[in-house]
Amino acid sequence: MTTTTLPKAHSSIVEATELPRIIKVSDNLYAAAFSLMKLLPARHIIDRAEADGLLSPGTPVIETSSGTFALGLAMVCGLRGYPLTIVGDSAIDRDLRTRLEMLGTTVEIVEHTGQPGGIQGARLARVEELRRLQPDAFVPGQYDNPDNPGAYSIVADLIGDTVGSVDCLVGPVGSGGSTGGLAASLRPGNPALHLVGVDTHGSIIFGTPDGPRTLRGLGSSIHPGNVKHAAYDEVHWVTAPEAFHATHELYRAHGLFMGPTSGASFQVASWWAEHNPGSTVVMVLPDEGYRYQSTVYNDAWLHAQGIVPAPAPGGPVTVEHPLDATAAWSRLLWARRGFDDVVMPEVDS
């Protein structure tokens, strides 16, 4: 008699989708492709808060996000019955706002009025106002909460079990959770792991001047506490036209329909893998492309923005200082140095 073992049913959509698929893209390049990467730290942070007694039935949750962390948190809070308020900005498009509100989320949109830290500073200031009005509320604090990077140890285990030893990890940097958390979990087994952070112009994370960013979902106008600069071996700054081209190419060539931060990651990782053919490279692809069908994948929107997706001929320009980063794809060998050591190095007398 043959006994058939049925697959285990997942306890929720969160459990079913929080982990990435590991996909071999080329001879030495693998993708950790998430449906919604920020679902994982959102669930982990809420789990830890519950375990620490910071959340009980009906506790309000307040957070700032204009992207996928808002959606991940809305899914978790909606399923567990926590009233959620998201403080965002104009980057929350109509479709995302509809999804958030259908999950029971209250969405507040703030404007940049000149506060330090740009629009992110304005959002954080509003979160503090709401916290004072609701002192019993829980604020996940994705930028500084160590449970954000701590969530990725399970992904590191999955990568190790699937790929084996990894020589280079490439991923976009926003809050610092995914790249920092994965590197921290992978390096005990391989201290030489080369960590490459992908940023964009107009982001201050790695020392370039603050400014407008057409390429959203990575970069920042504040310094997140979860970005441990000394963990990074290399930093790349990419532009929207390059990253959008790479996003399209990732779909055309590999069938991976992903968002623009994934395109930015693919742009850098594919170049790095090609120039280091003996190394095993894993790139982080944070979310799928469905949210971007009317923007990054839409010719009319691209034309209205004055953006012509195009690759960077010849690859990145290597610079010695963040302020030397050109208007195109630039690369700096960060060499696991602290922020001040790179941005304000001592001058020999």
Side-chain angles (χ1 to χ4, degrees), residues 54-240:
L54 301 175
L55 282 169
S56 57
T59 300
V61 178
I62 305 168
E63 179 62 308
T64 176
S65 171
S66 285
T68 53
F69 190 72
L71 184 56
L73 200 57
M75 291 175 66
V76 176
C77 289
L79 288 170
R80 300 193 187 185
Y82 300 119
L84 172 65
T85 298
I86 288 292
V87 178
D89 58 49
S90 59
I92 295 184
D93 55 71
R94 182 184 62 187
D95 292 341
L96 176 58
R97 182 163 186 164
T98 297
R99 294 179 70 182
L100 293 172
E101 291 176 342
M102 286 188 71
L103 289 166
T105 302
T106 299
V107 179
E108 283 202 19
I109 302 297
V110 301
E111 304 293 335
H112 177 28
T113 56
Q115 298 98 323
I119 190 63
Q120 284 170 292
R123 285 164 29 192
L124 287 167
R126 179 57 180 159
V127 168
E128 286 305 309
E129 290 178 3
L130 293 173
R131 190 207 292 260
R132 288 194 293 272
L133 293 171
Q134 302 180 74
D136 61 332
F138 173 68
V139 177
Q142 62 162 320
Y143 298 118
D144 302 295
N145 189 334
D147 289 332
N148 178 357
Y152 291 91
S153 61
I154 189 174
V155 180
D157 291 341
L158 176 62
I159 290 171
D161 292 342
T162 308
V163 177
S165 180
V166 177
D167 300 303
C168 178
L169 176 70
V170 180
V173 182
S175 69
S178 58
T179 51
L182 284 170
S185 293
L186 289 169
R187 276 183 173 153
N190 180 14
L193 173 77
H194 193 84
L195 179 60
V196 180
V198 182
D199 200 356
T200 188
H201 306 275
S203 163
I204 71 170
I205 292 179
F206 292 101
T208 54
D210 190 23
R213 295 186 297 276
T214 305
L215 178 57
R216 301 298 296 263
L218 74 171
S220 180
S221 294
I222 62 172
H223 285 285
N226 280 326
V227 176
K228 307 303 182 187
H229 292 88
Y232 294 87
D233 296 282
E234 197 169 319
V235 173
H236 290 240
W237 293 273
V238 301
T239 71

Side-chain angles (χ1 to χ4, degrees), residues 20-42:
R21 296 150 292 171
I22 307 300
I23 301 162
K24 188 172 185 178
V25 174
S26 67
D27 287 344
N28 66 326
L29 177 60
Y30 294 81
F34 289 85
S35 295
L36 182 65
M37 184 179 73
K38 293 298 183 72
L39 189 57
L40 176 62

Side-chain angles (χ1 to χ4, degrees), residues 298-307:
N298 184 284
D299 288 341
W301 181 87
L302 291 168
H303 179 75
Q305 303 300 312
I307 296 173

